[in-house]
Amino acid sequence: MTDFSLPPDAVEPQLHVVRRSLELLRTVPELAPRYQGHGEPASLAELAALPALVKDDLNVALARLEPKAEHGATWLFQSGGSTGAPKVGYAPTGFYMAGVHAHWQPLDRADVFVNAWGAGRMWGAHFLVAALADLAQCQVIALGSVTKDEYDDWLGFFAAREVTAIGGTPSVLRLWFAHARAAGLKLPALRKVLWLGEAWQPQLAEDMAEVAPQARRWGMFGSTETWVVGTNTPDCPADTFHTLPEQLVHVGPDQLLDFTTLNPEMLNPVLRYQTGDAGELVACPCGRPGRAMRVLGRRDSVVQVRGLGLHVDDIIARLEREPGVSRAQILITEQRGRVCGVDILLLTDQDAAVDVERLRKDLMSSTFTLSTAFQHDPESVRVCGVDALVSNDRTGKTANFVVREES
């Protein structure tokens, strides 16, 4: 039994795109053996029988294929790097956003939009959303990176310019709204908050309600390899996305999602590509017909620590329920491939008194992996308050866990 986001009659006329992707992947020596014994897919069932591309497989393929756009420039982008090897993706000028804009239009000509995704350094979201703004014909403030002492001046500028929309990763957006709330600054004209690159953060919604009560969230889901897979509106749950007709989503074992492009212009040969996200296909409460994709979280958030699985997301969720803790992050330190320490970093609210030693003892006593793996060196597990979590300087994203290698 296969579980796809689109019915057979919508997909099968487009299976020539799938067969083209398969043809390209079979030219890659490292990947060709996995497709032996598989014919050209002519149905959804035959597509589901093809092996999935996982982790760095697509990177290997792209290194061999080096695709180029038919028209305009070919943009080369990179994602990942904080919890795994970086992955590379290719896109033509325009980044397929015409297809997104045809189905999802959060911006219009009357908007003044702040593009707060980091620009350059092979990070694609800033340019992708710039292409969307171009299609919407709105005014754009292309922001880029901002230092801590610049926030107040920029926020004042946004208010003076009557900015109506802002976009970024939730990590970056949270910095903006937290600074505005702490400084008592308001953005009364702001109505739209676009986001892409991470899961939505409930704490961000709390700050938005104080700083910009009229603002509502508009989300995109995708990766540098798949590009935008789906979108949602303020009427949809934050974890639920309506997939584009050119993106085929399949729910596999353990609810792992894989993605297949039906877009003949797609440069990346995306064929059952797994991003590490789990999900299910549901009816969206917004009432829009058809099944939507509900993202349940990442399956790769279970980290091996001295041979035992550490459920990072469970620990983060527990810590962020603690009074005074606004965000948490796990920093794993390795020496020659072995975990030698786990630091649990807490970003706390201003003037909050958080008992880090109590939290450490609670975690050690209740978390099997930590208590067992560090039975002989419990001092290697530390909990501490910090002024800032470890972020990716290139993307501005803040992962739930970071791996640091020491010599």
Side-chain angles (χ1 to χ4, degrees):
M1 189 70 176
T2 59
D3 199 7
F4 283 97
S5 59
L6 293 170
D9 59 351
V11 177
E12 289 174 1
Q14 304 302 319
L15 283 177
H16 63 94
V17 179
V18 175
R19 291 189 284 269
R20 172 60 177 161
S21 295
L22 179 59
E23 179 184 346
L24 289 171
L25 291 169
R26 280 176 165 154
T27 67
V28 179
E30 297 91 335
L31 302 180
R34 69 175 58 194
Y35 297 110
Q36 290 179 358
H38 291 278
E40 305 299 312
S43 67
L44 288 179
E46 291 176 358
L47 171 56
L50 293 173
L53 291 171
V54 296
K55 298 290 184 182
D56 300 315
D57 293 340
L58 190 55
N59 222 20
V60 170
L62 291 171
R64 292 279 189 178
L65 299 172
E66 295 186 345
K68 291 183 173 58
E70 290 292 329
H71 306 285
T74 300
W75 293 73
L76 179 63
F77 290 114
Q78 183 186 47
S79 69
S82 56
T83 61
K87 297 178 283 294
V88 173
Y90 293 75
T93 299
F95 314 106
Y96 316 106
M97 292 307 286
V100 177
H101 184 256
H103 297 275
W104 187 71
Q105 299 174 8
L107 300 174
D108 57 51
R109 189 172 176 80
D111 280 313
V112 180
F113 170 59
V114 176
N115 186 344
W117 278 277
R121 299 193 180 185
M122 295 182 72
W123 173 232
H126 180 95
F127 304 97
L128 178 149
V129 180
L132 178 69
D134 186 61
L135 292 165
Q137 299 182 312
C138 63
Q139 293 186 31
V140 182
I141 300 171
L143 200 61
S145 60
V146 173
T147 60
K148 184 181 296 186
D149 58 355
E150 293 179 314
Y151 279 98
D152 288 353
D153 288 341
W154 276 112
L155 286 164
F157 178 73
F158 296 164
R161 295 299 305 174
E162 297 187 337
V163 163
T164 63
I166 188 172
T169 62
S171 296
V172 170
L173 291 169
R174 210 164 153 196
L175 290 173
W176 281 106
F177 284 100
H179 274 87
R181 186 176 182 181
L185 297 172
K186 304 290 185 180
L187 296 172
L190 189 67
R191 303 190 311 275
K192 306 167 184 178
V193 177
L194 279 63
W195 57 283
L196 167 69
E198 297 171 331
W200 182 256
Q201 299 175 11
Q203 298 89 342
L204 174 55
E206 295 175 10
D207 287 339
M208 280 172 52
E210 292 292 327
V211 174
Q214 305 304 314
R216 304 183 75 190
R217 53 165 176 75
W218 296 76
M220 290 177 281
F221 178 91
S223 71
T224 301
E225 301 77 45
T226 63
W227 297 94
V228 176
V229 170
T231 61
N232 66 25
T233 74
D235 297 323
C236 308
D239 61 359
T240 302
F241 300 85
H242 296 272
T243 56
L244 300 171
E246 61 198 31
Q247 298 276 10
L248 180 63
V249 182
H250 173 244
V251 182
D254 198 27
Q255 294 186 298
L256 270 175
L257 299 173
D258 62 75
F259 305 92
T260 297
T261 184
L262 301 177
N263 181 355
E265 304 300 320
M266 176 71 78
L267 298 185
N268 297 339
V270 176
L271 177 57
R272 295 208 59 214
Y273 178 69
Q274 293 179 343
T275 59
D277 295 284
E280 59 185 353
L281 298 173
V282 299
C284 183
C286 76
R288 181 173 165 181
R291 295 201 295 174
M293 173 184 68
R294 181 172 178 239
V295 180
L296 301 175
R298 297 192 65 82
R299 285 290 185 256
D300 57 3
S301 66
V302 179
V303 187
Q304 290 298 307
V305 175
R306 297 182 177 180
L308 299 171
L310 182 66
H311 292 257
V312 170
D313 287 350
D314 291 347
I315 295 175
I316 295 296
R318 174 180 174 179
L319 290 168
E320 291 185 348
R321 288 194 295 267
E322 287 285 330
V325 176
S326 60
R327 281 214 69 183
Q329 183 181 58
I330 296 177
L331 173 61
I332 297 171
T333 303
E334 293 184 347
Q335 287 182 339
R336 295 181 293 277
R338 175 177 170 78
V339 174
C340 61
V342 175
D343 290 279
I344 300 169
L345 311 180
L346 304 179
L347 193 63
T348 59
D349 298 335
Q350 191 172 10
D351 301 324
V354 178
D355 189 343
V356 296
E357 185 55 30
R358 175 187 64 81
L359 287 177
R360 180 188 172 280
K361 290 179 180 177
D362 288 349
L363 287 173
M364 288 296 289
S365 63
S366 62
T367 308
F368 174 80
T369 296
L370 294 178
S371 60
T372 304
F374 294 92
Q375 179 180 1
H376 302 295
D377 56 339
E379 70 281 356
S380 297
V381 178
R382 298 168 288 270
V383 178
C384 57
V386 295
D387 293 329
L389 302 181
V390 180
S391 297
N392 188 317
D393 292 336
R394 175 173 50 82
T395 66
K397 293 172 68 173
T398 304
N400 279 350
F401 75 95
V402 178
V403 178
R404 177 177 62 190
E405 182 69 34
E406 285 189 351
S407 56

